[in-house]
Structure formats: structure tokens, C-alpha cells
């Protein structure tokens, strides 16, 4: 079956440091990967959509300078939260799509001290 | 621009009662519409989706949703809820099949035993 693994599941970083999270598609080819953030008690905000062989499209309020994304092949994507502060805490969700369906991982929960 | 509105932040029902969670959307064309569920401390799971055809869509766990173009709505329904249905439910919209969906604010469902 098709699965999306995200790791780490939970992580803690000091304020001002950076944290890299990974997203692995298993059993299908992820032609596009969407990264979301769910801040505490809030909905899922789309950070960016990465499509293979296309430029990564960031949503308003999110930038490449803050959330650089790598999508080197059809099974893997990573995103880094640079210079993390309290407002960056939350659940970061990866959604990987084959041409027909979108599969979500369980997310990476980021805490910032 | 497209948007999704879930007017009810919290809904409480008794076990065995019927349920309707409301979702309104704003988009000029016919969107792809989704309902997702997030159980405590977990990621997102797809309940059902709609793009075309029969406006009543069947999903997992006896959930169904009805698309109404005239009302711009996609309400989620269940005839008889169980305590295990307690979770946060998100309505989402996508402009195209290969776009990343945008989520509503979510409705927290509490089922009283």
C-alpha cells in the first residue's frame, strides 16, 4: 500500500536554532509534496507546494528563506525550519501526491524552548 | 480566491444521535472538496471526497457528505454517532486535482456517552 512517513515524529529545538524534517513516500511516486503547519489550536496552513521539475511555490506569509524545501526525487522531500522561535511550534504535516491521490504522514511535532 | 468556512468551532452530540457538520466554500468553479478527520495526537485521515457526479458521497465509518452548488456547501453527516467519533473534522477545498487542498478552521466534535 501507499504510505507517507515523516520523521522525526517529535522534536524539540532551542529558540533561534534550526530543525530539519523529512517526508518519505513509500509504495508510490510523489510527483508533488505539500507542507503544512498546524499551530496549536489552529487549522492546517499550507506552507508550500513542491512539484517535481517545477519551482516550489510558497504561500503568503511563508518564505524559502525561512522554510527551505528540498524535493530531490519522487520518494523524498525535506523541509527545514530556520531560526525557529515560539511561533513556529506546531505540527508540520507532509502531504505527498501521486497523480490521483494525496497521502498524509502523521506529522512532525515541533516544540521550541 | 478560494476559501472554506466551517462555522461551528465545537459541536457536542449524544452517542447515537445524528450529526451534521457544516462546511461552506467560496470558489467560482466546481472545486474538489474533502472531509478529513484528526483524532487526538494524530495526523489527518481522509473521510471522503467529491468532484463530480452524485452529490451525495459515501465515506468511511458511515460518514457521508452532500454537495450543494446552489448553497456552496458540503456538509458532513452521520446517522448515528459513536463516542469514538470524537475528533476534529476539517473540510478542505482544492481547485484542481493536483493542487494542495486548503483547509477550513476545523470543527471539534465531542460525543457524550
Amino acid at each position: 500500500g501507499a504510505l507517507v512517513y515523516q520523521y522525526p515524529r517529535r522534536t524539540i529545538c532551542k529558540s533561534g536554532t534550526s530543525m530539519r524534517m523529512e517526508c518519505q513516500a513509500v509504495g508510490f511516486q510523489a510527483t508533488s509534496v505539500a507542507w503544512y503547519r498546524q499551530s496549536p489550536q489552529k487549522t492546517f496552513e499550507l506552507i508550500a507546494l513542491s512539484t517535481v521539475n517545477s519551482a516550489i511555490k510558497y504561500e503568503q506569509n511563508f518564505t524559502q528563506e525561512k522554510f527551505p524545501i528540498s524535493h530531490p526525487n519522487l520518494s523524498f522531500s525535506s523541509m527545514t525550519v530556520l531560526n525557529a522561535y515560539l511561533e513556529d511550534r506546531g505540527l508540520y504535516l507532509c502531504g505527498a501526491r501521486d497523480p490521483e491521490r494525496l497521502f498524509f504522514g502523521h506529522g512532525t511535532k515541533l516544540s521550541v524552548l | 480566491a478560494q476559501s472554506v468556512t466551517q462555522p461551528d468551532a465545537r459541536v457536542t452530540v449524544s452517542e447515537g444521535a445524528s450529526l451534521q457538520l457544516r462546511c461552506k466554500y467560496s470558489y467560482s468553479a466546481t472545486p474538489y472538496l474533502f472531509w478529513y478527520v484528526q483524532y487526538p495526537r494524530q495526523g489527518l485521515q481522509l473521510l471522503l471526497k467529491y468532484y463530480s457526479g452524485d452529490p451525495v458521497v459515501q465515506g468511511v465509518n458511515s460518514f457521508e457528505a452532500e454537495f450543494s452548488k446552489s448553497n456552496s456547501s458540503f456538509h458532513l453527516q452521520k446517522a448515528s454517532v459513536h463516542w469514538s467519533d470524537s475528533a476534529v473534522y476539517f473540510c478542505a477545498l482544492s481547485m484542481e486535482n493536483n493542487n494542495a487542498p486548503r483547509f477550513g478552521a476545523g470543527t471539534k466534535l465531542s460525543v457524550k456517552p
Side-chain angles (χ1 to χ4, degrees):
Chain A
L3 292 171
V4 174
Y5 288 110
Q6 286 189 253
Y7 38 92
R9 289 288 297 268
R10 293 173 177 266
T11 186
I12 302 172
C13 69
K14 289 185 177 180
S15 182
T17 64
S18 299
M19 180 61 212
R20 181 172 179 262
M21 53 194 73
E22 300 181 345
C23 175
Q24 181 88 36
V26 178
F28 69 101
Q29 294 186 324
T31 53
S32 65
V33 173
W35 286 93
Y36 294 84
R37 178 177 70 192
Q38 184 186 35
S39 301
Q41 310 302 321
K42 293 192 175 179
T43 190
F44 291 92
E45 294 179 277
L46 178 63
I47 297 172
L49 176 65
S50 171
T51 303
V52 172
N53 298 326
S54 296
I56 299 171
K57 185 179 178 185
Y58 285 83
E59 293 295 296
Q60 194 173 11
N61 301 326
F62 297 97
T63 65
Q64 183 180 5
E65 289 71 31
K66 173 72 174 178
F67 299 97
I69 290 170
S70 171
H71 189 183
N73 56 54
L74 292 174
S75 65
F76 182 82
S77 177
S78 67
M79 184 177 76
T80 301
V81 181
L82 292 175
N83 201 19
Y85 285 99
L86 195 61
E87 58 265 27
D88 295 316
R89 64 195 171 119
L91 181 70
Y92 286 81
L93 203 66
C94 161
R97 176 184 292 284
D98 69 12
E100 293 298 321
R101 296 164 298 175
L102 179 64
F103 304 94
F104 285 102
H106 281 88
T108 293
K109 185 174 181 180
L110 174 64
S111 299
V112 181
L113 300 179
Chain B
Q2 72 286 358
S3 67
V4 177
T5 301
Q6 293 180 248
D8 305 308
R10 295 174 179 270
V11 169
T12 300
V13 296
S14 297
E15 192 167 28
S18 63
L19 170 72
Q20 184 186 71
L21 301 182
R22 295 185 292 165
C23 173
K24 300 273 285 185
Y25 71 88
S26 174
Y27 184 56
S28 55
T30 299
Y32 290 80
L33 291 163
F34 310 84
W35 275 100
Y36 287 88
V37 60
Q38 183 184 30
Y39 295 105
R41 296 174 296 282
Q42 294 190 28
L44 285 177
Q45 298 177 34
L46 178 67
L47 282 177
L48 46 80
K49 65 179 179 181
Y50 170 83
Y51 177 63
S52 63
D54 189 337
V56 179
V57 182
Q58 304 296 323
V60 299
N61 295 339
S62 303
F63 282 96
E64 66 177 33
E66 183 168 4
F67 169 72
S68 171
K69 188 169 185 176
S70 60
N71 294 325
S72 297
S73 67
F74 189 55
H75 301 329
L76 182 70
Q77 299 167 92
K78 187 170 184 178
S80 176
V81 295
H82 187 263
W83 64 267
S84 60
D85 293 324
S86 296
V88 182
Y89 292 79
F90 292 94
C91 183
L93 173 155
S94 176
M95 295 175 287
E96 299 171 6
N97 190 36
N98 58 355
N99 266 9
R102 314 305 176 95
F103 289 87
T107 297
K108 185 174 183 179
L109 173 66
S110 299
V111 180
K112 298 185 299 183

